Amino acid sequence: MASIGLEQAFHKQRAIIPGLPTICAVNAPTTPSPSSRPIRELPDELISQIAAGEIVERPASVVRELLDNALDAGASQVTVRLLAGGVRLIAIEDNGSGIAQAELPLALRRHATSKIANLHDLETVVTMGFRGEALAAICAVSDTALLSRPEGQENAFLLDARSGELRPVARSLGTTVEVKELFYSTPARRKFLKSDATELAHCVEMVRRQALARPDVSFAIWHEGKLLAQWRATLVPGQSGPDALARRLADVLGPEWVTPSLAIQHTEGLVTVTGRIGLPEAARTRTDQQFVYINGRFVRDKIITHAVRSAYEDVLHGQRQPVYVLYVDMDPTRLDVNVHPAKIEVRFRDNQEIHQAVRHALENVLAVPRAGTIASAPTRTPHTSAALPLAVSPAPTPQHPRQISGPQEERIGYPVRDLSLLWGAPAAIHNFTEPVAPAAPYQATECAPTPTYVQTGAQAATHEENGVTPPWPLGRALAQLHGIYILAQNNQGLILVDMHAAHERIVYEKLKAQVDSGKALASQPLLIPATFAATAQELVIAEEQTATLHLLGLEITAISAKTLTVRAVPATLAQSDAVALARNVLEELAAHNASTVVQQAQNEILARMACHGAVRANRTLTLEEMNALLRQMENTQRSDQCNHGRPTWQQLSLRELDALFLRGR
Ligand code: ADP
Ligand code: MG
């Protein structure tokens, strides 16, 4: 029995293992140096204690192992009771299949498991546990009791691991494992524990992790006799998987987590990725809300973290950390779960396969502009109800009584009857009135890669004639505020758009699409070339990087030893300040390694160029221009964030406005 002779084993351990200072110091004068000692086999107990060092780091590790066992036993209800942050007691009770009386002592033995029997089982393992060492390791460093009653057994039996005593007790079907006084036999390790509050927080985190993966199981956590958290099973017969998952995530992580998040469902080859990911604006400074499960097991994995990061790259800048709960399901034979004693790391047969599946799963969802999915429900944060699967209503309908306005409604602005005019023909742009035009005029560029919301002019006109706001997700422009924001009315209420941020994204996506298609950016010669006094570095780069500049739609040539002239700029950026654009691009090229610049720094350069092409603050837009911008946003990937990851628009619902004015109270 694992616990018999623990004290003895511990003393032996201290005598032979260097690094346990008190004993070594006392024995120092009489004990031979470790190298002169004879080789001997370690006693079983000591082997278990050493193994326990890898498996049981702190109370939370015990919680994880015991929860794994409960889930492997098919439990639908698990209760965790703790004393002193789990240091004095961890008791985990389940209603799973139980352990037969005769097998109780076996369960505590090292390398004894019911989960695998041969190499093939190991390679295809689908249970949480399989190494058969958790209970043995836990027994080696605590005072453990195992209490269980399987179906068909009249009594439950309790096995005291320390004394080896086995006696009948009363219990319903299932198992309870009680772990008392963790590390009592290894005081050196006990010293490494943090405060009870910290250990408790780690234990709760462990339960949260498991709860996130199993919405079909109810969990409860008690500490010092108080109920800390209780999460009822949300996946019950008749309930859809994604809904149950969203509910469980809301219960465990808070409704404010789920609201600004998007559902993931993607299969690529043999890999399926599901779950929910936070919108870019929900990102945090810490990585504490990143949960990844592979075949149901919580893991930390660099490949997946990297894939997620690259999917967010274009919408989340700086050090912000996205939040996500991802479940990767794959053929177990393409995965090695037996590479880490606590099973928190895995190894994939094909890293690329996993990386791509995860990246594509997220990219696809992050790229879709969300304006079209705003539900009519009241919203607190931007885009909120759009994200909830429970609340998505793809075709917003006017719901607020005040929304349906009669023909007497004052006409604000005029309908954009033919949007293609705005995208395509520069002539239309020149017709725009420009009361104040200090900066380059805003160019409503041709865009709309996958027009989803563009209505025909006739449709829009019919709506307008009926006095109803056409169901454009971002609504109809009403006015411009302080030269910075566009105010628009949609069926839910008021939309506020940061016009520079939004336009910057539109231009950026357009530039990227052109470059990604393998063509050079369409270039437009300047009627009057722009000349500027260049630095020596600018001259060198302009000369060396002619090909790259050509790819970026720029033609920059030296006309003297100190002067460069810009002869052509990308057509998309035709209205921007050519000299500033040229200097910025030369600076970017100088900062990057010439040979790899186009691939690696491409997006950075394009983003910088887009900033030049985007309409500036304080530039007055006509209503038609504003409407054109709104329609472009609805049809541009990632248009909910600017190139720096900030939101480009916000919705203020009528209900929120009513609340502001205390209406209806
Ligand atoms: P492993 O989980 O790797 O098999 P453990 O040491 O955790 O190893 O558990 C040993 C065995 O004890 C398990 O294989 C299982 O048969 C049994 N067991 C442990 N906990 C439970 C439980 N809560 N319910 C039913 N059986 C259990
Ligand atoms: Mg186990």
Side-chain angles (χ1 to χ4, degrees), residues 78 86-87 155 254 263 267-268 276 320 328 406 427 441 447 458 471 559 574 591-592:
V78 184
V87 181
N155 274 320
T267 301
E268 193 166 323
R276 294 195 78 84
R320 306 282 295 162
V328 178
C447 186
I559 51 168
H592 295 101

Side-chain angles (χ1 to χ4, degrees), residues 237-487:
Q239 177 82 57
S240 94
D243 283 5
L245 178 64
R247 288 225 170 82
R248 171 52 61 89
L249 297 196
D251 287 348
V252 176
L253 299 171
E256 68 286 356
W257 195 101
V258 180
T259 317
S261 73
L262 302 163
I264 299 283
Q265 172 70 55
H266 177 78
T267 301
E268 193 166 323
L270 295 170
V271 182
T272 296
V273 186
T274 51
R276 294 195 78 84
I277 61 167
L279 292 177
E281 52 265 41
R284 299 158 62 83
T285 47
R286 298 197 296 147
T287 58
D288 59 339
Q289 298 204 346
Q290 304 180 339
F291 301 87
V292 174
Y293 300 83
I294 299 176
N295 290 353
R297 172 179 282 112
F298 178 88
V299 294
R300 293 232 174 271
D301 183 73
K302 285 202 184 79
I303 307 281
I304 293 182
T305 313
H306 187 272
V308 171
R309 214 44 254 180
S310 42
Y312 272 95
E313 193 164 48
D314 227 3
V315 288
L316 192 67
H317 284 244
Q319 296 306 306
R320 306 282 295 162
Q321 292 294 339
V323 302
Y324 50 88
V325 182
L326 290 176
Y327 309 91
V328 178
D329 286 297
M330 60 189 299
D331 176 357
T333 60
R334 302 187 60 75
L335 180 74
D336 189 354
V337 289
N338 189 26
V339 294
H340 189 275
K343 293 160 286 186
I344 196 151
E345 284 168 21
V346 292
R347 202 177 291 146
F348 301 110
R349 191 163 324 151
D350 182 350
N351 289 343
Q352 196 61 21
E353 175 188 41
I354 284 294
H355 192 277
Q356 285 194 358
V358 172
R359 186 161 61 88
H360 293 158
L362 270 68
E363 263 176 5
N364 292 349
V365 166
L366 284 168
V368 179
R370 280 177 295 280
T373 53
I374 318 163
S376 39
T379 52
R380 290 230 120 259
T381 43
H383 332 310
T384 48
S385 25
L388 260 178
L390 323 168
V392 168
S393 84
T397 46
Q399 284 207 338
H400 200 281
R402 282 165 30 195
Q403 187 66 34
I404 307 178
S405 36
Q408 76 281 6
E409 187 207 23
E410 192 197 344
R411 272 279 171 91
I412 311 165
Y414 40 88
V416 178
R417 281 168 205 278
D418 190 353
L419 292 167
S420 63
L421 261 185
L422 283 174
W423 312 145
I429 295 151
H430 296 312
N431 291 337
F432 293 157
T433 49
E434 273 187 51
V436 190
Y442 160 67
Q443 191 186 12
T445 46
E446 78 284 356
C447 186
T450 45
T452 342
Y453 305 112
V454 176
Q455 299 194 18
T456 64
Q459 275 176 313
T462 317
H463 278 289
E464 288 282 287
E465 274 148 27
N466 295 339
V468 179
T469 305
W472 289 318
L474 292 176
R476 181 173 49 129
L478 303 175
Q480 198 180 7
L481 186 70
H482 283 279
I484 301 171
Y485 298 106
I486 294 171
L487 308 186

Side-chain angles (χ1 to χ4, degrees), residues 139-203:
C139 285
V141 290
S142 70
D143 183 2
T144 304
L146 191 54
L147 197 165
S148 191
R149 182 178 155 208
E151 197 145 5
Q153 190 177 293
E154 220 166 90
N155 274 320
F157 277 85
L158 184 149
L159 173 64
D160 181 328
R162 197 190 304 200
S163 66
E165 184 200 352
L166 187 67
R167 62 185 155 88
V169 286
R171 198 204 185 282
S172 49
L173 295 183
T175 305
T176 303
V177 184
E178 275 183 14
V179 177
K180 290 188 206 144
E181 302 300 338
L182 191 63
F183 300 140
Y184 80 97
S185 56
T186 50
R189 304 217 34 216
R190 195 158 181 158
K191 282 195 204 120
F192 280 97
L193 294 178
K194 302 281 189 283
S195 71
D196 288 357
T198 303
E199 294 305 335
L200 173 64
H202 284 286
C203 290

Side-chain angles (χ1 to χ4, degrees), residues 65-75 92-100 103-104 106-116 127-138 146-148 174-177 343:
E65 291 295 344
L66 299 185
L67 284 178
D68 276 355
N69 283 345
L71 296 174
D72 281 345
I92 297 197
E93 193 182 309
D94 68 53
N95 63 350
S97 58
I99 307 167
E103 289 184 5
L104 282 173
L106 257 182
L108 301 185
R109 288 187 65 89
R110 207 148 39 81
H111 307 311
T113 178
S114 57
K115 297 169 195 172
I116 59 168
T127 48
M128 295 289 171
F130 56 86
R131 295 166 63 106
E133 50 186 14
L135 288 180
I138 292 166
L146 191 54
L147 197 165
S148 191
T175 305
T176 303
V177 184
K343 293 160 286 186

Side-chain angles (χ1 to χ4, degrees), residues 42-96:
L42 295 176
D44 244 23
E45 321 303 334
L46 182 49
I47 294 172
S48 291
Q49 286 182 323
I50 293 171
E54 292 183 312
I55 299 163
V56 187
E57 188 196 339
R58 58 185 349 156
S61 345
V62 174
V63 171
R64 173 176 183 157
E65 291 295 344
L66 299 185
L67 284 178
D68 276 355
N69 283 345
L71 296 174
D72 281 345
S76 64
Q77 211 160 355
V78 184
T79 305
V80 180
R81 287 174 217 279
L82 307 165
L83 292 179
V87 181
R88 280 195 41 225
L89 172 78
I90 299 165
I92 297 197
E93 193 182 309
D94 68 53
N95 63 350

